[in-house]
């Protein structure tokens, strides 16, 4: 997706057709741009993204439609497949060099936060008000793109992680309904093992996949408020609730609730093992219906999903948002906001086949993706905690993964893991 915004001067240079199409503040002709060190305005926009090759065409089609209606020419650059390992660094380099895009796609949490903190991303509050995004977009997702009270991004996806399970295997173990408490979850795991079924398919290669289990256990032992404070270093990790979470983490491996040799398993393989019947469930997001179930040509009716029980109110799940930011130095901020508003319309979201859209009215089609639609209906508006590999900067996340690995290998005790995490997080929080 691409977009640019306009300074007041740039706005006045637009044709009347473009002005009408953008719906700018017609009564005064004033732009919402804040100005200050901005690039010259133009009708040429640039959007930077990491859209995959399979979906980039859908984005380009919507942007082309916007361009045709508004007299703009938008260039889309994409860096697919690199993930957070390369994309943020390339974006940062461009911005520091003064050649940054007008709009860029970005993850929430500590990946998006540096761009807001450095004021490279514009404060979009005026555009939230202008376009009514506060009422048309999932509130929890907006919080994921709000940094220190500044709405620096517009979220367009909200991914929620839960247990996606194989109905046949749960039935084989005599489990008639998904667990509603943590005790019931442990009981279910025990029944599955007794029936010869590996419960939870997670892999430790790269660290982030098995992390999904630990962060859930921490939500269970610490509760929402303490969990949130731990993630930002406002409370010490060297405490009983964290030790308990690490103790449970080790228990899951020792009780064989994780696959044998889990630390060496590739998430790309083990994460979809529940579809083939090799594990009972995995901790995944809505994407798994397309990438695992439908890709394997399986009937979604053979599977189900549920939110992992935390025994707390509110009942939260792990989640993350992805959204768009506007370059604070762009000379085309108003135009960029107009493009964002265009692609945040339900029709545009559906045309781009966004399966976890934050936009009301763009929920998944239950005929095409019944499980994703079910998740959206049950949990789409639920609160979530930031997935931990986005809650921490990359350096600290890598250190955290090492702690997980050492604990599961038995070279570190739960108490030592809690102390080590406090060292890692406190050093980061002081910066």
């Amino acid at each position: 997706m691409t977009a640019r915004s306009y300074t007041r001067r740039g706005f006045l240079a637009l044709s009347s057709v473009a002005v009408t199409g953008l719906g700018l503040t017609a009564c005064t002709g004033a732009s919402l741009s804040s100005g200050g060190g901005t690039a010259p305005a133009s009708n040429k926009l640039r959007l930077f993204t990491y859209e995959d090759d399979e979906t980039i065409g859908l984005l380009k089609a919507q942007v082309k439609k916007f361009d045709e209606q508004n007299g703009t020419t938008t260039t889309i650059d994409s860096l697919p497949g690199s993930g957070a390992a390369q994309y943020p660094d390339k974006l940062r380099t461009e911005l520091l060099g003064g050649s940054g895009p007008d709009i860029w796609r970005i993850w929430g949490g500590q990946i998006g936060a540096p761009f807001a903190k450095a004021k490279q991303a514009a404060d979009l509050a005026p555009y939230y008000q202008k376009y009514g995004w506060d009422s048309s977009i999932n509130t929890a997702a907006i919080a994921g793109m709000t940094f220190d009270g500044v709405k620096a991004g517009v979220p367009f996806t909200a991914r929620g992680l839960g247990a996606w399970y194989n109905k046949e295997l749960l039935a084989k173990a005599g489990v008639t309904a998904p667990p509603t408490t943590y005790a019931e979850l442990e009981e279910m795991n025990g029944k599955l093992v007794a029936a010869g079924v590996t419960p939870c398919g997670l892999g430790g290669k790269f660290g982030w996949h098995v992390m999904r289990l630990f962060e859930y256990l921490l939500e269970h032992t610490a509760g929402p408020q303490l969990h949130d404070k731990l993630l930002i270093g406002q409370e010490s990790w060297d405490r009983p609730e964290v030790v308990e979470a690490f103790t449970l983490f080790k228990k899951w491996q020792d009780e064989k609730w994780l696959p044998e040799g889990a630390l060496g398993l590739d998430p790309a393989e083990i994460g979809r093992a529940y579809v083939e019947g090799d594990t009972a469930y995995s901790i995944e997001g809505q994407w798994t219906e397309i990438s695992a179930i439908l890709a394997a040509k399986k009937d979604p009716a053979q599977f189900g999903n549920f939110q992992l029980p935390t025994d707390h109110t509110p009942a939260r799940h792990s989640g993350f948002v992805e959204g768009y930011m506007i370059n604070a130095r762009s000379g085309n901020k108003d135009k960029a906001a107009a493009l964002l508003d265009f692609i945040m319309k339900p029709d545009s979201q559906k045309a781009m086949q966004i399966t976890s859209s934050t936009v009301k009215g763009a929920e998944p089609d239950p005929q095409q993706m019944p499980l994703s639609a079910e998740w959206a209906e049950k949990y789409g508006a639920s609160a979530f905690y930031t997935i931990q590999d986005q809650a921490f900067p990359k350096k600290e996340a890598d250190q955290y993964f090492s702690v997980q690995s050492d604990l599961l290998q038995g070279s570190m005790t739960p108490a030592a893991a809690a102390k080590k995490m406090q060292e890692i997080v406190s050093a980061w929080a002081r910066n």
Side-chain angles (χ1 to χ4, degrees):
M1 305 160 202
T2 310
R4 290 192 183 190
S5 60
Y6 283 75
T7 61
R8 184 172 188 276
R9 179 180 177 185
F11 165 71
L12 294 175
L14 293 173
S15 69
S16 59
V17 173
V19 172
T20 302
L22 291 171
L24 297 177
T25 47
C27 58
T28 64
S31 163
L32 295 177
S33 302
S34 58
T38 59
S42 77
N43 278 347
K44 294 182 179 179
L45 310 176
R46 179 171 172 249
L47 184 150
F48 188 34
T49 182
Y50 44 86
E51 198 83 40
D52 290 335
D53 293 342
E54 292 79 9
T55 55
I56 188 71
L58 300 174
L59 169 62
K60 287 183 176 179
Q62 291 305 302
V63 172
K64 180 181 179 183
K65 191 174 179 180
F66 174 85
D67 282 347
E68 291 173 347
Q69 293 177 2
N70 295 284
T72 53
T73 300
T74 300
T75 300
I76 299 177
D77 294 327
S78 189
L79 183 63
S82 68
Q86 296 181 20
Y87 178 83
D89 288 342
K90 179 172 175 54
L91 173 60
R92 189 174 297 106
T93 299
E94 284 196 20
L95 292 171
L96 292 174
S99 61
D102 298 281
I103 294 177
W104 61 81
R105 177 173 170 172
I106 197 70
W107 297 272
Q110 289 302 315
I111 300 178
F115 299 98
K117 184 177 181 181
K119 300 188 183 304
Q120 293 167 319
D123 180 355
L124 303 185
Y127 301 113
Y128 269 82
Q129 182 175 14
K130 175 179 176 61
Y131 294 113
W133 291 337
D134 280 313
S135 59
S136 64
I137 298 175
N138 181 311
T139 302
I142 293 173
M145 276 285 162
T146 301
F147 307 93
D148 293 331
V150 177
K151 293 174 179 173
V154 180
F156 73 99
T157 65
R159 319 278 193 177
L161 277 68
W164 290 67
Y165 66 93
N166 184 310
K167 290 182 177 178
E168 181 180 353
L169 293 185
L170 260 63
K172 178 182 177 182
V175 179
T176 57
T180 58
T181 66
Y182 180 74
E184 289 181 4
L185 177 60
E186 286 204 344
E187 182 182 3
M188 182 182 80
N189 286 343
K191 289 181 177 179
L192 287 164
V193 171
V197 178
T198 300
C200 186
L202 293 172
K205 189 176 181 180
F206 311 122
W208 54 265
H209 199 222
V210 75
M211 168 207 73
R212 296 174 182 176
L213 172 59
F214 178 75
E215 64 181 4
Y216 157 63
L217 295 172
L218 186 60
E219 175 76 3
H220 165 60
T221 61
Q225 290 186 337
L226 177 56
H227 189 175
D228 286 346
K229 290 181 178 178
L230 289 169
L231 293 182
I232 57 177
Q234 285 188 350
E235 292 286 353
S236 173
W237 285 67
D238 187 10
R239 60 189 309 123
E241 295 88 345
V242 178
V243 174
E244 183 183 1
F246 276 120
T247 301
L248 291 176
F249 192 48
K250 186 69 163 56
K251 178 180 180 180
W252 275 62
Q253 175 182 261
D254 295 345
E255 295 289 336
K256 302 187 185 305
W257 297 343
L258 297 175
E260 185 175 356
L263 275 177
L265 297 179
D266 189 330
E269 299 299 328
I270 194 63
R272 62 185 64 185
Y274 79 96
V275 177
E276 300 302 329
D278 296 327
T279 64
Y281 63 95
S282 187
I283 302 176
E284 300 290 338
Q286 302 96 314
W287 59 82
T288 192
E289 184 168 19
I290 293 177
S291 64
I293 298 174
L294 296 179
K297 302 188 184 308
K298 300 283 187 178
D299 183 354
Q302 297 175 314
F303 305 92
N305 57 50
F306 62 89
Q307 186 170 260
L308 290 163
T310 65
D311 300 348
H312 290 285
T313 301
R316 307 191 307 175
H317 56 257
S318 171
F320 63 95
V321 301
E322 295 176 80
Y324 289 97
M325 292 179 169
I326 295 177
N327 191 335
R329 297 184 63 187
S330 169
N332 300 309
K333 287 192 279 294
D334 288 351
K335 180 79 78 162
L339 176 54
L340 286 185
D341 185 61
F342 181 84
I343 62 180
M344 294 299 287
K345 298 295 186 188
D347 287 346
S348 300
Q349 292 282 294
K350 291 179 180 178
M352 292 186 288
Q353 299 180 9
I354 306 297
T355 59
S356 50
S357 176
T358 61
V359 179
K360 296 174 183 176
E363 293 79 11
D365 184 343
Q367 298 301 317
Q368 296 180 351
M369 290 172 287
L371 294 174
S372 297
E374 180 184 10
W375 177 276
E377 181 179 357
K378 288 183 176 178
Y379 313 116
S382 298
F384 62 87
Y385 52 89
T386 303
I387 195 169
Q388 290 186 347
D389 57 354
Q390 291 188 20
F392 297 131
K394 186 176 185 304
K395 175 185 174 183
E396 284 70 22
D398 289 343
Q399 293 174 312
Y400 162 48
F401 296 156
S402 293
V403 171
Q404 290 183 156
S405 177
D406 290 344
L407 179 88
L408 293 182
Q409 292 184 79
S411 60
M412 180 178 284
T413 66
K419 289 182 183 296
K420 184 62 179 177
M421 281 302 299
Q422 174 56 18
E423 293 176 13
I424 295 169
V425 177
S426 63
W428 161 56
R430 285 197 299 268
N431 296 328

